[in-house]
Amino acid sequence: GFAVRSRLSSVGGYDTSVGKVRAKIAKLDDPAGTKYLAIVHGARTAHAIVLDRDGSTLIDTSPRKNDRRRVAEIHAVVKSIEIDRFI
């Protein structure tokens, strides 16, 4: 299984840009293999992004070269075997 934990307050809170979130994710002390699911808001849309522990994009439903979209939610996803270190 997997464990999911909000990391919004750890990366600057609601309305922080994707670019700033990337740098802050890289500084977190989450377990190896942690992935981050971010929901971002555009002008009239919302998209999902999956980032790795270094802040690199793994999946983006609407890729951008310079990403200034605002992060509405971000959650760390960890395999349950690593949960003791995560919580």
Side-chain angles (χ1 to χ4, degrees):
F2 293 88
V4 179
R5 181 177 181 192
S6 175
R7 298 305 264 153
L8 190 61
S9 62
S10 299
V11 297
Y14 184 78
D15 241 13
T16 303
S17 71
V18 173
K20 289 181 181 178
V21 165
R22 290 179 195 282
K24 291 181 180 185
I25 282 175
K27 295 178 184 178
L28 294 176
D29 190 30
D30 288 341
T34 301
K35 306 293 187 256
Y36 299 89
L37 173 61
I39 305 300
V40 298
H41 287 175
R44 295 185 184 113
T45 60
H47 296 280
I49 300 175
V50 177
L51 305 169
D52 67 11
R53 206 173 148 210
D54 298 323
S56 299
T57 302
L58 301 175
I59 300 169
D60 189 343
T61 60
S62 180
R64 306 287 168 89
K65 185 174 181 180
N66 295 314
D67 206 340
R68 294 184 185 127
R69 294 176 290 181
R70 299 297 173 195
V71 175
E73 300 176 38
I74 187 162
H75 301 278
V77 181
V78 180
K79 288 186 180 180
S80 292
I81 197 164
E82 310 220 8
I83 194 70
D84 290 338
R85 182 166 177 237
F86 187 59
I87 293 180

